[in-house]
Each structure stands twice: as structure tokens, then as C-alpha cells.
């Protein structure tokens, strides 16, 4: 198992359109396990393959309290079941520390394959409906900030750039400290 690096907004690779998975083989199963591990490590509830630079139609999610119920959606098709849209405060592992309200239909039908290649066909509402639409957007190169005003998009971009720089500096410091500790 391995942690995968997550692409950060506004990385242009996040705009890549994902292609369908042809066969749920061992390579895909390893990627699924790594994505679930990466999602848990980052304290996320959902992660699309696009976010870890794999441009295939694959989503992992876990909305359970104890983080012990991972869900896998392969080649998903999501159909809204209501016209009405409801506001929900969304975040994204690719847009760290940015949260904003997005309006989406809060009841959808999900058709997909699971990790065993078995067909899933279910109607869902609430957070699960919101989250699958957010992750589905990633597979189509869409990020939740695209729904916000230009001003909010600029602020989000600047905030993420600053945070990524800070994280890089911190990682550099930690690497230096470790080197010091081992070179006595
Ligand atoms: C998508 O997002 C989602 O900024 C999944 O510092 C989120 O898991 C859909 C996260 C909310 C609907 C509602 C974000 C973790 C996790 C951050 C996530 C952060 C740490 C985001
Ligand atoms: Co996201």
C-alpha cells in the first residue's frame, strides 16, 4: 500500500477527462487500495482518480463515522432525480482549506461497478448524493470552485498556492532536521 500525491488546484492536470475502466484487474485493485489509504490519511470523505493523476473513471468514498466502510464506484453514471437544488458546504482535497456553498440536486441515481466488477444501481440522497456529484465532476475535469464567482475563484487559487508553498517549506525543514539527527 502507498500514499499517492494529490494534485492541487489550479493544476491543469485536474482538467483531464477520465476514460472508462476496461477491466477491474490487479493494477486497478492496487490503485483502489492506495486511493482509499490516501483518502483516509488526508481525512477526506471522497477522492476521484483524477486527483491522484490517474485519468480513469474511478471514485472512492467513505462517509461512515468510523471510517471503516469504503465505497468504490467504477465507470459511474449519475442521474439527478429531482429538479430542485439544495445548498451544501463543500470542500475538496485538491483545494485545501477552501470551503464554499454549492447548489446541487440532493437526490440522484448511481449506476456503476464495484471493486468486484459487480453492478451497483441505487438511489441516494443527502451527503452521499452531493459527494458522488462532486467526485463525478472531477472525472469530467470540473472542480467545485468552478461554480463560484470569479473573485472567490481567485481567492481560492491564491490561498491554495500559499498553503502549498508553506507545506513545501515545512517538508524541507523536516528533511533537514532528520538529516542533522542522523549525521552526529
Ligand atoms: C468532497 O471532499 C465533498 O480542505 C470530498 O483541509 C466534501 O473529502 C463533497 C478535506 C464536502 C461534499 C461535501 C478538505 C480535508 C476533505 C480540506 C473532501 C482539508 C482537509 C475534503
Ligand atoms: Co474534490
Amino acid at each position: 500500500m502507498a500514499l499517492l500525491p494529490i494534485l492541487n488546484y489550479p493544476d491543469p492536470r485536474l482538467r483531464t477527462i477520465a476514460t472508462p475502466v476496461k477491466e477491474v484487474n490487479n493494477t486497478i485493485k492496487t490503485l483502489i487500495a492506495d486511493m482509499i489509504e490516501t483518502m483516509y490519511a488526508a481525512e477526506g470523505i471522497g477522492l476521484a482518480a483524477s486527483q491522484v493523476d490517474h485519468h480513469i473513471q474511478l471514485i472512492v468514498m467513505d462517509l461512515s463515522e468510523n471510517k471503516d466502510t469504503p465505497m468504490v464506484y467504477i465507470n459511474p453514471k449519475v442521474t439527478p432525480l429531482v429538479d430542485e437544488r439544495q445548498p451544501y458546504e463543500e470542500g475538496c482535497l485538491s483545494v485545501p482549506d477552501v470551503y464554499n456553498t454549492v447548489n446541487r440536486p440532493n437526490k440522484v441515481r448511481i449506476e456503476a461497478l464495484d471493486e468486484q466488477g459487480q453492478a451497483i444501481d441505487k438511489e441516494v440522497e443527502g451527503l452521499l448524493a452531493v459527494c458522488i456529484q462532486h467526485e463525478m465532476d472531477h472525472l469530467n475535469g470540473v472542480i467545485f470552485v468552478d461554480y463560484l464567482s470569479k473573485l472567490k475563484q481567485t481567492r481560492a487559487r491564491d490561498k491554495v498556492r500559499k498553503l502549498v508553498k508553506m507545506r513545501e517549506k515545512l517538508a524541507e525543514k523536516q528533511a533537514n532536521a532528520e538529516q542533522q539527527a542522523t549525521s552526529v
Side-chain angles (χ1 to χ4, degrees):
M1 296 244 280
L3 290 182
L4 306 170
I6 298 175
L7 300 179
N8 284 303
Y9 179 75
D11 194 311
R13 289 172 289 180
L14 286 170
R15 300 304 184 182
T16 313
I17 309 292
T19 56
V21 173
K22 290 204 186 92
E23 185 200 353
V24 186
N25 55 24
N26 283 335
T27 310
I28 299 286
K29 286 186 179 170
T30 303
L31 177 61
I32 291 169
D34 290 346
M35 280 175 61
I36 291 171
E37 191 185 359
T38 302
M39 174 178 69
Y40 288 152
E43 296 191 46
I45 57 170
L47 184 69
S50 321
Q51 294 176 271
V52 290
D53 208 15
H54 286 265
H55 302 286
I56 55 169
Q57 294 174 8
L58 166 63
I59 290 166
V60 299
M61 283 170 38
D62 191 342
L63 305 182
S64 70
E65 204 157 316
N66 298 325
K67 298 289 161 215
D68 55 4
T69 317
M71 296 180 288
V72 177
Y73 298 104
I74 296 165
N75 300 342
K77 185 179 154 218
V78 174
T79 319
L81 296 175
V82 290
D83 287 330
E84 189 203 346
R85 277 146 207 276
Q86 290 208 344
Y88 208 102
E89 179 96 342
E90 296 190 17
C92 180
L93 289 174
S94 293
V95 197
D97 278 12
V98 173
Y99 301 89
N100 257 296
T101 304
V102 177
N103 295 301
R104 302 184 193 268
N106 94 328
K107 200 166 179 217
V108 299
R109 176 179 182 189
I110 307 175
E111 292 164 273
L113 296 178
D114 70 11
E115 202 176 346
Q116 277 81 44
Q118 298 287 312
I120 302 168
D121 187 344
K122 58 182 180 181
E123 294 184 7
V124 302
E125 41 191 331
L127 180 57
L128 181 49
V130 171
C131 200
I132 190 81
Q133 291 176 84
H134 173 116
E135 302 309 334
M136 195 67 204
D137 274 352
H138 279 301
L139 302 184
N140 292 317
V142 174
I143 302 161
F144 84 103
V145 292
D146 298 349
Y147 299 112
L148 310 176
S149 68
K150 283 278 173 272
L151 177 63
K152 281 186 176 169
Q153 290 181 28
T154 305
R155 282 186 186 151
R157 191 197 60 205
D158 292 349
K159 192 171 180 184
V160 173
R161 280 195 175 140
K162 225 169 147 177
L163 193 76
V164 168
K165 261 187 207 156
M166 261 175 45
R167 283 180 180 174
E168 280 168 0
K169 272 192 189 160
L170 197 71
E172 206 179 304
K173 268 192 190 166
Q174 279 167 346
N176 280 340
E178 265 159 45
Q179 195 143 51
Q180 293 251 299
T182 50
S183 66
V184 184

